[in-house]
Amino acid sequence: MNVDPDLSPLREAVASAGADGYLIDDDATDSDQRYVSGFTAPDPYQTLVTDDGVHLLVSGLEYGRATAESGADTVTRRAAYDYQQLVAEHGPHDGKIRMLEAFLEDQGVETVAVPRNFPTGTADGLRDRGVDVTVESEGVVEEIRATKTDWEVDQIHQTQRANEAAMARAEELIATADIAEDGTLVHDGEPLTSEFVAEEIEVTLLRHGCSLDETIVACGADAADPHDRGSGPLEADELIVIDIFPKDKETGYFGDMTRTFARGDPSDEARRRYDVTREAFEAALEAIEPGATGADVHGAACDVIEEAGYETLRSDPSTETGFIHSTGHGVGLDIHEQPSVSPSGGDLEPGHVVTIEPGIYDPDVGGVRIEDLVVVTEDGYENLTDYRVGLEPVAESD
Amino acid sequence: MNVDPDLSPLREAVASAGADGYLIDDDATDSDQRYVSGFTAPDPYQTLVTDDGVHLLVSGLEYGRATAESGADTVTRRAAYDYQQLVAEHGPHDGKIRMLEAFLEDQGVETVAVPRNFPTGTADGLRDRGVDVTVESEGVVEEIRATKTDWEVDQIHQTQRANEAAMARAEELIATADIAEDGTLVHDGEPLTSEFVAEEIEVTLLRHGCSLDETIVACGADAADPHDRGSGPLEADELIVIDIFPKDKETGYFGDMTRTFARGDPSDEARRRYDVTREAFEAALEAIEPGATGADVHGAACDVIEEAGYETLRSDPSTETGFIHSTGHGVGLDIHEQPSVSPSGGDLEPGHVVTIEPGIYDPDVGGVRIEDLVVVTEDGYENLTDYRVGLEPVAESD
């Protein structure tokens, strides 16, 4: 299971910084290291990229798996540098520095470039021992990661399949709920809450090999804050925003999708905002092609929303209602990564995987957001999302 | 929801390093920052500890929540330092450095201590702008975190409650499985697999507000490698190790528990190893008291296991069978934290929360591990785990 990335832009950046190698010292939370090494482990490990190849330094516990599964050209055990003895003699911090010094020396590396988030303790420790450490501050690995290989697109597509199953479960719960006299949605005799729908989404994802930390199931005024996760009973006649961004537990690749539903009789204004958002969503999709910029695509969504009379951050940078975020972001091993579909978004290129997710928000009316995940192709885009767009929820079995 | 920590040892360490403040620049994955600030956010934010208090720097999106929920004395929006304008003028990296420079200046801080894992890009950027940055390399925040407040012990206890429910579900599946002619455990007509039991554990945890990335349900030779998650059908007559370490999604505190079960007729040697492990487990618990060291407690477990004729890393540092890990570790906002119950473990103190988890491993026999989570008290320990120890699985409804 391996992305087999083209690291030549990284090697060029390292060479032009006058360094012999690029060193990462992090753990499973660092997607750059996972990407570069084709390996992940719960405890910290190190990856060194040189002209010779990709070199991993791991604990004995991880050695077998790293050798079998990683994309590295060489895998070395810490014990090769007497790590335990160094720690016993010099303490855990100094012991680690001395081990890394020996590892770099072994690979013929005297000057290293490191990512911005490289630990200062390690950088200063290596410097104290005569290793030259420079920060690569342009984020070249993030930039390489922005363009997905076919294998990566397949992984993202697969996570999005799980996402569709979870969305179908949420839509079904809303579609089949009863409506109480006070307008509350009711499921199996109990109020249908944001929390319950989120839990059902998460269980569905688990059954599909995915996990997630947060889900948004936000109704009414809650949904007017794009970061509000939502809470309490869901209501008829109100807009309900459901935003799901799961991660496949094996591959680490994310999916991302948002739908907005309403039961009962939403207001004309709510319906109008839904239609305008949908039109902006379609206009943004239409604008995607190689050569177009993320800014162009964002502009296409803003055009529709402003035309309909709502504010955007383009028409009023300080607005707190209307379209108050950017149109999209890259998705991969991180849920937010390059490229950006925003005013600062650069050229879109084949293999870029981005969300398209315009929305319109106002505490008085609620929130609307519609989001698909697409991959840019040679002549436009391919939609990685196969899920109906519609305000009225439908149960699959209907 | 707040730990309200005593940061005086941190302030002393900062002062003795000649610094005016302690700066953290990280995101939700950094438990130290969550602990110090009483706040967590998906995107990066900054925490500064001075003699005046704890100061948070957050995005506008997080400002309301940080003000309402965090334990910080002051909360400042990035916009207070014209962050967007700085980014537009100087790019994202330099813009952020200039914002931090202004934030530090505002708090009267000219020299900062930072944690070992502070980003080198930020450290070097601040240094380039005349701020003195020193690494605090002793891990003083980790050390403060080792001693839990009553509130923290309650949170860990609560996660352990969810863990007990998940373990009960797993035990029930194993207890009620049929045994096929070839020895495979069978549930609802299908082979009962590691993967299915792990999924049921995870769904149970989700229903209790917890999540986890990995669960171990390992049978036979799989379980002889303490890091193997297990796969495939579970077998009668074999040892099955189940290790669950969930995290409460709201509070962030972990629980941790392991049980070993066997259906059918496990070998005499397997039964003997279970009994020895249980005796080592009880001896280690018995050894816990303030004044004892983690090394003492580990030694108590090793004594029992060696006495019974099995190797430990103490009797043979290179052994690959027997008791091949340490007796325990601290648990809190991280699943592995201070203090250590190992040969290098220092004094145990009231408020330390540690696992006690001896085990005996051999590919030819399988693995056994028994693990509870306890808090050290003034006169011994309180067990935070309420779950029967026994090799033969019992369904709750039996």
Side-chain angles (χ1 to χ4, degrees):
Chain A
M1 185 161 50
N2 206 321
V3 54
D4 195 17
D6 174 11
L7 298 178
S8 51
L10 176 62
R11 292 198 166 88
E12 283 160 29
V14 167
S16 75
D20 308 322
Y22 183 80
L23 181 65
I24 308 180
D25 171 23
D26 216 315
D27 60 19
T29 61
D30 187 65
S31 299
D32 280 357
Q33 178 156 238
R34 182 171 190 163
Y35 181 86
V36 166
S37 67
F39 185 67
T40 183
D43 296 318
Y45 61 105
Q46 287 82 29
T47 305
L48 177 68
V49 181
T50 65
D51 284 343
D52 293 343
V54 175
H55 311 283
L56 267 183
L57 181 61
V58 301
S59 73
L61 265 179
E62 302 293 357
Y63 180 77
R65 202 167 56 81
T67 307
E69 296 177 11
S70 83
D73 297 286
T74 72
V75 180
T76 308
R77 283 183 185 87
R78 289 182 195 155
Y81 305 109
D82 298 321
Y83 176 59
Q84 289 301 345
Q85 199 175 325
L86 287 172
V87 167
E89 271 175 48
H90 304 283
H93 182 62
D94 257 31
K96 176 180 161 179
I97 300 297
R98 285 166 193 259
M99 170 187 69
L100 287 177
E101 188 192 5
F103 175 58
L104 293 174
E105 201 178 309
D106 230 18
Q107 305 290 346
V109 170
E110 288 172 5
T111 67
V112 283
V114 300
R116 283 182 296 227
N117 67 352
F118 190 83
T120 304
T122 309
D124 285 4
L126 288 171
R127 286 165 175 162
D128 285 347
R129 302 194 61 78
V131 178
D132 192 39
V133 179
T134 321
V135 175
E136 190 291 297
S137 64
E138 299 299 314
V140 63
V141 176
E142 289 165 55
E143 198 161 310
I144 297 172
R145 280 173 50 201
T147 302
K148 271 69 181 174
T149 65
D150 290 346
W151 180 85
E152 288 186 284
V153 173
D154 285 347
Q155 307 319 309
I156 296 167
H157 210 153
Q158 192 171 317
T159 307
Q160 194 72 335
R161 292 283 85 79
N163 202 342
E164 290 155 9
M167 185 66 81
R169 172 69 181 137
E171 182 171 359
E172 179 186 39
L173 283 167
I174 294 170
T176 59
D178 296 319
I179 300 178
E181 275 185 26
D182 67 356
T184 304
L185 300 189
V186 173
H187 171 75
D188 277 352
E190 298 286 330
L192 183 64
T193 61
S194 289
E195 291 84 348
F196 181 77
V197 174
E199 194 174 296
E200 289 295 309
I201 287 168
E202 295 180 35
V203 168
T204 307
L205 290 172
L206 250 179
R207 301 285 190 202
H208 286 77
C210 290
S211 67
L212 84 179
D213 283 337
E214 293 196 354
T215 310
I216 294 172
V217 181
C219 178
D222 279 358
D225 173 354
H227 269 211
D228 193 316
R229 279 190 279 166
S231 61
L234 300 175
E235 307 281 341
D237 311 337
E238 296 283 350
L239 297 165
I240 303 170
V241 173
I242 301 182
D243 188 348
I244 314 178
F245 31 102
K247 173 178 174 161
D248 184 280
K249 292 171 83 165
E250 286 301 319
T251 68
Y253 283 89
F254 279 88
D256 200 352
M257 173 170 33
T258 305
R259 289 293 182 268
T260 301
F261 301 110
R263 280 293 303 280
D265 189 20
S267 68
D268 288 349
E269 179 56 24
R271 288 179 196 277
R272 176 161 191 267
R273 284 166 184 240
Y274 188 87
D275 293 341
V276 172
T277 301
R278 183 175 190 160
E279 204 186 314
F281 167 79
E282 284 161 1
L285 286 174
E286 193 68 30
I288 298 174
E289 58 183 358
T293 64
D296 293 336
V297 174
H298 178 63
C302 289
D303 287 347
V304 171
I305 292 171
E306 290 171 17
E307 186 75 23
Y310 302 105
E311 297 289 359
T312 72
L313 289 174
R314 184 177 74 176
S315 62
D316 174 5
S318 69
T319 185
E320 294 184 346
T321 62
F323 183 25
I324 52 176
H325 53 72
S326 59
T327 296
H329 53 83
V331 171
L333 288 171
D334 286 324
I335 180 61
H336 292 133
E337 57 178 55
Q338 293 302 317
S340 170
V341 186
S342 73
S344 63
D347 285 349
L348 293 175
E349 288 170 21
H352 282 175
V353 170
V354 295
T355 68
I356 295 297
E357 49 176 315
I360 304 178
Y361 309 88
D362 186 332
D364 292 341
V365 185
V368 182
R369 185 165 64 256
I370 301 170
E371 174 186 31
D372 275 1
L373 187 60
V374 309
V375 56
V376 181
T377 59
E378 293 294 344
D379 53 3
Y381 69 93
E382 181 196 346
N383 198 326
L384 301 177
T385 320
D386 179 16
Y387 204 93
R388 189 182 59 88
V389 177
L391 180 59
E392 190 179 332
V394 177
E396 248 180 45
S397 47
D398 281 8
Chain B
M1 186 161 48
N2 205 322
V3 54
D4 194 18
D6 174 12
L7 298 178
S8 50
L10 176 61
R11 292 197 166 91
E12 283 160 31
V14 167
S16 74
D20 308 324
Y22 183 80
L23 181 64
I24 308 179
D25 171 23
D26 216 313
D27 60 20
T29 61
D30 187 64
S31 299
D32 280 357
Q33 178 156 237
R34 181 171 191 163
Y35 181 86
V36 166
S37 68
F39 184 67
T40 184
D43 295 319
Y45 62 105
Q46 289 81 28
T47 303
L48 177 68
V49 181
T50 65
D51 284 343
D52 293 344
V54 174
H55 311 284
L56 266 183
L57 182 61
V58 301
S59 73
L61 265 179
E62 301 293 357
Y63 180 78
R65 201 166 57 80
T67 307
E69 295 177 12
S70 83
D73 297 284
T74 73
V75 179
T76 308
R77 284 183 186 85
R78 289 183 196 156
Y81 305 108
D82 299 320
Y83 176 59
Q84 290 300 343
Q85 199 175 323
L86 287 172
V87 167
E89 272 176 46
H90 305 282
H93 182 63
D94 258 28
K96 174 179 160 180
I97 300 297
R98 285 164 193 258
M99 170 186 71
L100 287 177
E101 187 191 5
F103 175 57
L104 293 174
E105 201 178 309
D106 229 19
Q107 304 290 345
V109 170
E110 289 173 3
T111 65
V112 284
V114 299
R116 283 182 296 226
N117 66 350
F118 190 83
T120 304
T122 309
D124 285 4
L126 287 171
R127 286 164 175 164
D128 285 347
R129 301 194 62 79
V131 178
D132 191 40
V133 179
T134 320
V135 175
E136 190 290 297
S137 64
E138 298 300 316
V140 64
V141 176
E142 288 165 56
E143 200 161 309
I144 298 172
R145 280 173 51 200
T147 302
K148 271 68 181 176
T149 65
D150 291 346
W151 180 85
E152 288 186 285
V153 173
D154 286 347
Q155 307 319 308
I156 295 166
H157 211 153
Q158 193 171 316
T159 307
Q160 194 72 334
R161 292 283 86 79
N163 203 340
E164 290 155 9
M167 186 65 80
R169 173 68 181 138
E171 182 172 358
E172 179 186 38
L173 283 166
I174 294 169
T176 58
D178 297 319
I179 300 178
E181 273 185 28
D182 67 355
T184 305
L185 300 190
V186 172
H187 171 76
D188 277 353
E190 297 287 331
L192 182 65
T193 61
S194 289
E195 291 85 348
F196 181 76
V197 175
E199 194 174 296
E200 288 296 308
I201 287 169
E202 295 181 34
V203 168
T204 307
L205 291 172
L206 250 179
R207 300 287 189 201
H208 286 78
C210 291
S211 67
L212 83 179
D213 283 337
E214 293 196 354
T215 309
I216 293 172
V217 181
C219 178
D222 279 358
D225 173 354
H227 270 211
D228 193 313
R229 281 190 280 167
S231 62
L234 300 175
E235 305 283 340
D237 313 337
E238 296 283 350
L239 296 166
I240 303 170
V241 172
I242 301 183
D243 188 348
I244 314 178
F245 32 104
K247 173 180 175 160
D248 185 279
K249 291 171 85 164
E250 286 302 320
T251 69
Y253 284 89
F254 278 89
D256 200 352
M257 174 171 32
T258 305
R259 289 293 182 268
T260 301
F261 302 110
R263 280 294 303 281
D265 188 20
S267 68
D268 288 349
E269 179 57 24
R271 288 181 196 276
R272 177 161 191 267
R273 284 165 184 239
Y274 188 87
D275 293 340
V276 171
T277 301
R278 183 174 189 162
E279 203 185 317
F281 168 77
E282 284 162 2
L285 286 173
E286 192 70 28
I288 298 174
E289 58 183 356
T293 63
D296 294 336
V297 174
H298 179 62
C302 289
D303 287 346
V304 171
I305 292 170
E306 290 172 16
E307 186 76 22
Y310 302 105
E311 298 288 357
T312 71
L313 289 174
R314 186 177 74 175
S315 62
D316 175 5
S318 69
T319 185
E320 293 185 349
T321 61
F323 183 25
I324 52 175
H325 53 70
S326 59
T327 296
H329 53 82
V331 170
L333 288 171
D334 286 325
I335 180 61
H336 292 133
E337 57 179 55
Q338 292 302 318
S340 169
V341 186
S342 74
S344 63
D347 284 349
L348 293 176
E349 289 169 21
H352 282 175
V353 170
V354 295
T355 66
I356 296 296
E357 49 175 315
I360 303 179
Y361 308 88
D362 186 331
D364 292 340
V365 185
V368 182
R369 186 165 63 255
I370 301 170
E371 174 187 32
D372 275 1
L373 187 59
V374 309
V375 57
V376 181
T377 59
E378 293 293 345
D379 53 3
Y381 70 92
E382 182 195 346
N383 199 326
L384 301 176
T385 320
D386 180 16
Y387 204 93
R388 190 181 59 87
V389 176
L391 180 59
E392 191 178 333
V394 176
E396 251 180 43
S397 48
D398 281 6

